[in-house]
Every structure is written in C-alpha cells, then in structure tokens.
Amino acid sequence: MILRPLSGVMMVLLALSSHALFAQEDPAALGCGTLQNAYGPFDYRTDKGRLGIVEKFHFGPGQETLSNKVGLGGNIDYTLRAFPNHHRALMSMMKLGFRERTSKPKGADYTIKCYMVRAEAFRPDDAMVKVIHGLYLIQSGAAQEAVAKFEQARELDSNNANVHYNLGLAYFDLKKYELALESAHVAYAQGFPLMGLRDKLKRAGKWRDPVAGRAGPVAPDLPSAPAEIVPEIESPDKGTPESASES
C-alpha cells in the first residue's frame, strides 16, 4: 500500500472539518479504553522525533514482520498506545489477529476493532487509518462497511492511489464492477503498482482499458509527497477471525 502524507496546512484544515464529516465512535463507550497514556499519545505522521525510542524497543523489524514472537502482541500494543495511528503497527496487529485466528491477539490489551476505533478517534483526519480499518473489514467479510471506510478516506485524500485501489477491491467484492473499474482506472492513473484489482476484473470479464484522458477524477489541489510503502495484508482464510471477548 502507498501512503502519501498531507502537508501540515492541509492536515490542520482536515482536522477541523473531519469531525463534522465523519461520526467517530467513542473508544471508552465501546470498551476500548481511553487514549491517555504515560508516553503520548503522539501522531505517527508528525511526531517523528518521539517515534524512534518506541520503535527501537517495541516495534523493530521482528515485530513488524511478526517474526519475533517474544512479547509480540504486547510490544505492538505498546506502540499503538503511544502512537494510536501508527499505520504499520496497525497493519501488524491486524495480521497477528488473522494469524492467531482471534479478534484479540495474545498480549494485546484490546481487540483489533478497538485499535481501529482508537486510531480513528485520535486522528479522524488520517486517511490511511481509514484505509487500514477498511482492509480489516474487507478481510473479515464486511465489504459494505469497508466501502464506507474507503469512501471516507477518499474524501480526505483523493490523490492517494492506495485509497482508490482498495475501494475498488471492496466494490469488486460487492459485485459493483463498474465502480470497481472506475476506482481501478484512477488508482493506476495515479501510479499504483499492484495489478491484483485489474486481474480480478479481467477474470470476471469486467476489465476495460481506460479511454485516453478519462482515467477518472483526480484532485489536483491536494499536495503529493514521497510515498511510504506498507505491505498488503493476506489472511489464510477470508472471514472474521475466530471470536475472542471484545474489550
């Protein structure tokens, strides 16, 4: 997945408007705790100076790839309490839940759903958080809910090719092939490198090459920035992880 962070000015404007655009779930009301923490909470996108110490001890390559199993869930949990919208840590917690086939990985204080709710409540203007939440929903078989998250992400950052790509995947799962095709055209026009969505549409007999000059809507007024690549999640079985107690 490709992340294109917004400029400081744009993030401020979106932060002011995003509460009005999207109703946020209250973490405490859902049993997901409060955002208060001994260290933080900090914004993953902007508080880079405070990020190193957390990643050094709690979210190194071993935790991100799930290869270091010592205290794995607890270390990712620590990272997400200090940086609730830590994109890569959210992805790793999600993958850990699918690997363990549970909604609450071992060592985690909360369910995967809770970490998504906490991240959105912390920074409702963070489009990538909504993308990751959408990925969790689509991998859990909730394509309609995933579409809602991806559409919210598109409202926040319509120049993010990853948003359009994953929205297209969700539309495809709902058999809304024309919308999936439109999203695919936009994603590829914006440089998205993975061909999975195109291949799905081809196998379904729904792919058409875009008409020259009509790749789809792009918002030229939004700033672009160097991309951060975050790997896609793949679960061994598509469907909701085996239930654990929601906390």
Side-chain angles (χ1 to χ4, degrees):
M1 294 187 303
I2 300 176
L3 167 67
R4 292 182 180 179
L6 301 178
S7 69
V9 172
M10 183 61 68
M11 279 194 281
V12 170
L13 292 175
L14 289 174
L16 292 174
S17 62
S18 56
H19 284 284
L21 286 171
F22 313 122
Q24 301 301 317
E25 297 176 286
D26 179 10
L30 296 175
C32 299
T34 71
L35 292 170
Q36 293 179 336
N37 197 53
Y39 187 71
F42 303 114
D43 191 328
Y44 174 68
R45 302 165 300 173
T46 58
D47 292 319
K48 297 298 186 182
R50 303 176 186 271
L51 185 60
I53 189 69
V54 173
E55 293 191 341
K56 178 179 180 180
F57 292 104
H58 298 282
F59 195 70
Q63 287 78 34
E64 183 166 7
T65 62
L66 310 185
S67 59
N68 183 349
K69 298 181 181 180
V70 178
L72 181 57
N75 278 313
I76 303 174
D77 169 82
Y78 182 96
T79 304
L80 289 172
R81 283 186 284 114
F83 289 85
N85 64 328
H86 193 301
H87 306 145
R88 290 157 38 236
L90 284 168
M91 288 292 295
S92 293
M93 185 65 84
M94 177 168 52
K95 290 196 290 186
L96 181 61
F98 280 111
R99 189 174 79 175
E100 294 183 356
R101 302 185 63 82
T102 179
S103 62
K104 185 180 180 183
K106 182 180 179 180
D109 279 354
Y110 306 109
T111 62
I112 299 169
K113 173 69 174 179
C114 275
Y115 289 110
M116 302 299 170
V117 169
R118 287 166 59 87
E120 285 197 66
F122 178 60
R123 288 295 182 265
D125 67 307
D126 191 334
M128 183 53 63
V129 165
K130 297 186 188 299
V131 169
I132 296 169
H133 194 171
L135 285 172
Y136 174 66
L137 291 168
I138 201 169
Q139 290 287 332
S140 299
Q144 189 64 60
E145 295 176 60
V147 164
K149 290 298 175 186
F150 293 138
E151 287 178 344
Q152 290 174 9
R154 184 178 60 186
E155 289 295 315
L156 290 169
D157 188 6
S158 62
N159 259 3
N160 190 328
N162 177 67
V163 171
H164 295 283
Y165 181 83
N166 286 288
L167 179 57
L169 289 175
Y171 282 142
F172 184 91
D173 276 8
L174 292 173
K175 302 186 185 305
K176 296 183 177 181
Y177 298 121
E178 285 302 312
L179 291 174
L181 180 65
E182 179 181 324
S183 293
H185 286 168
V186 177
Y188 295 132
Q190 293 179 346
F192 196 80
L194 304 181
M195 295 293 111
L197 177 55
R198 183 202 64 182
D199 293 343
K200 281 176 175 281
L201 288 163
K202 281 188 172 182
R203 287 193 295 269
K206 302 297 182 180
W207 173 261
R208 297 189 306 275
D209 289 332
V211 177
R214 295 179 58 188
V218 178
D221 57 320
L222 289 178
S224 60
E228 176 187 359
I229 297 176
V230 185
E232 289 185 303
I233 181 174
E234 292 185 5
S235 60
D237 298 297
K238 189 170 182 177
T240 306
E242 293 176 357
S243 296
S245 59
E246 297 289 327
S247 71

